[in-house]
Amino acid sequence: MSRLQADVDAYQKREGIDHEVDGMERYRVCIDLGGLPDDCAQLRRMEEAASAE
């Protein structure tokens, strides 16, 4: 496989991951990345505060 094709494949894979993560709430992303529920809950509160503004 050529270097260019490998770069294009990696870019497309990243775009798919970015799209999937963008659709997730921050709490879920935090948990999926190994965060602790109490720590990740802070993100949920921040989202609620931001949406209230």
Side-chain angles (χ1 to χ4, degrees):
M1 183 183 305
S2 73
R3 169 71 186 216
L4 177 59
Q5 184 62 48
D7 289 347
V8 168
D9 290 345
Y11 177 81
Q12 289 174 333
K13 181 177 180 180
R14 192 195 83 213
E15 286 293 308
I17 292 169
D18 287 349
H19 179 69
E20 182 180 332
V21 170
D22 285 344
M24 297 172 70
E25 69 171 322
R26 302 290 184 231
Y27 177 81
R28 184 83 256 150
V29 173
C30 182
I31 294 294
D32 287 352
L33 291 174
L36 299 173
D38 289 341
D39 293 336
C40 294
Q42 294 176 28
L43 295 172
R44 185 174 280 161
R45 290 190 296 274
M46 288 172 57
E47 283 182 344
E48 291 170 356
S51 65
E53 291 180 356

